[in-house]
Amino acid sequence: MDGRIWSKLPDHLLEHVLSLLPLKTFLALRSTCKHFNSLPFTPYFISRHSLPHSPPPFSPLLILSHPHFHHSSPIFNTSLNTWCSLLLSFPPMPPSSLLLSSSHGLLCFSLPSTSSFLVCNLLTRSLRRIKFPASPFSFDLPTVVPSSPSSAADGYKLFMLSTTGSFHHALVYSSSTGSWARFPGPEPSSIINENHHQKGVLYSGGILFTTPEPFHIVSFQLESGGWETLLIDLPDGLAFARLAGDGDRKLYLVGGVGASGISRSIKLWELGEGWVEVETMPEMVCRKFLSVCYHNYEHVYCFWHQGLICLCCYTWPEILYYKVSRRTWHWLPKCPSLPDKWSCGFRWFSFTPQLYASV
């Protein structure tokens, strides 16, 4: 360990040795010197740690955003099935800031006091401020979409719907051009007004949403900027319908089935040659969830998280999730950081840190 010898180690050998460390271990060493800090962004490091089918070096997390927490959020590690002891800290932001969307290692916030959005990568501490396309500016259904299905290393698009008077528009910001594009809004426009808690689902080059009754699935095509209605009949007797998908190959429908707008059961379907029923929620689990949302289905939203289909209610602090590989339903334990008396406003996000997600 003679320093006179090791100080002469060629840079390419040092880089190779350090690249063999687990990425989480190496990131803890970045503050050692400027050279170490810059190593993760060298071509050699990037080629080793961004292989298409390599397992992610960081655990997938669920972020709980709630008015009780400011500038940080509790996180649940779904690999370890436990709440993390530390809160996830965000960059310094005004008190009115709000987490809007997450995708492939990126988080997007709204900053109303500065009329802008903030997109950040917490691992690299990099961020980008995006000015609102208009002032004043109201929007719904914000969705961050990576440029490629598996990574945000090549950039992203920020999609949202906006209403000006009686006119509805789709707005898309491209990180590669740094500019906004405006497109016609959807028909029917009621997906803006009644389902504002639902999350857009990326599938087959479009962002999918469900409409209120009569239920349909509409898709915004990212390349053309046009809207399409999926010509696939939805199951009969739906009281509400929500989508979830892995962003590439699989698309699922979660729906309440009943009569007169009241759900008596909740079922799960997968898109194949039409909607193929996969599972019926167990009766006791279904009773609890329906009592939680109290048939206010506008508070219900759904999203995909690393092989889990998560079903949430804006007014309730727990997640109900379906584990696709085991075909089982489970409740996520209540966050221990929440006070005994809590208000509504529970917003959950799927988040897997990625070093090379570019802002």
Side-chain angles (χ1 to χ4, degrees), residues 63 84 118 121 158 175 181 218 255 268 274 276 296 334:
I63 300 176
C84 299
L118 180 73
N121 182 330
L158 177 58
S175 67
V218 295
L268 175 68
V276 180
N296 292 316
K334 179 175 172 287

Side-chain angles (χ1 to χ4, degrees), residues 26-200:
F26 175 74
L27 290 179
L29 304 176
R30 284 181 61 191
S31 59
T32 304
C33 62
K34 291 183 178 179
H35 181 53
F36 280 20
N37 188 52
S38 63
L39 276 181
F41 304 101
T42 61
Y44 185 75
F45 246 78
I46 293 175
S47 66
R48 281 193 62 88
H49 292 287
S50 59
L51 297 175
H53 301 292
S54 58
F58 301 99
S59 298
L61 306 171
L62 288 169
I63 300 176
L64 171 57
S65 176
H66 186 265
H68 177 74
F69 304 103
H70 303 283
H71 306 303
S72 61
S73 284
I75 46 178
F76 186 87
N77 187 319
T78 50
S79 295
L80 301 177
N81 197 36
T82 184
W83 286 96
C84 299
S85 57
L86 298 176
L87 298 181
L88 185 67
S89 297
F90 301 136
M93 286 179 286
S96 59
S97 61
L98 183 67
L99 179 59
L100 300 176
S101 181
S102 65
S103 179
H104 293 78
L106 297 178
L107 297 177
C108 177
F109 299 83
S110 79
L111 310 178
S113 62
T114 60
S115 299
S116 62
F117 300 103
L118 180 73
V119 177
C120 67
N121 182 330
L122 297 182
L123 274 183
T124 60
R125 302 185 183 93
S126 56
L127 52 87
R128 176 189 292 207
R129 291 183 184 271
I130 303 169
K131 296 298 293 182
F132 287 173
S135 182
F137 180 61
S138 61
F139 58 89
D140 280 290
L141 307 177
T143 307
V144 175
V145 181
S147 295
S148 69
S150 60
S151 171
D154 298 325
Y156 59 89
K157 292 182 178 179
L158 177 58
F159 165 90
M160 60 194 64
L161 297 176
S162 180
T163 303
T164 305
S166 59
F167 297 98
H168 307 285
H169 306 284
L171 293 162
V172 179
Y173 175 85
S174 170
S175 67
S176 59
T177 63
S179 60
W180 290 93
R182 184 188 297 265
F183 302 96
E187 292 294 340
S189 61
S190 54
I191 70 167
I192 299 176
N193 302 322
E194 297 184 31
N195 285 353
H196 56 275
H197 289 308
Q198 72 170 306
K199 295 176 181 282

Side-chain angles (χ1 to χ4, degrees), residues 277-335:
E277 185 175 329
V278 175
E279 196 76 31
T280 298
M281 187 181 292
E283 184 178 357
M284 293 302 293
V285 178
C286 181
R287 282 185 183 180
K288 177 177 176 180
F289 186 81
L290 293 177
S291 67
V292 162
C293 65
Y294 200 64
H295 303 294
N296 292 316
Y297 304 126
E298 68 273 12
H299 293 155
V300 174
Y301 58 99
C302 185
F303 61 92
W304 175 270
H305 174 75
Q306 300 293 322
L308 308 179
I309 298 174
C310 300
L311 191 59
C312 315
C313 183
Y314 184 72
T315 59
W316 190 253
E318 298 176 56
I319 279 183
L320 174 61
Y321 67 89
Y322 176 76
K323 194 162 190 175
V324 175
S325 62
R326 296 186 179 180
R327 302 185 65 169
T328 53
W329 296 90
H330 308 271
W331 285 97
L332 202 73
K334 179 175 172 287
C335 174

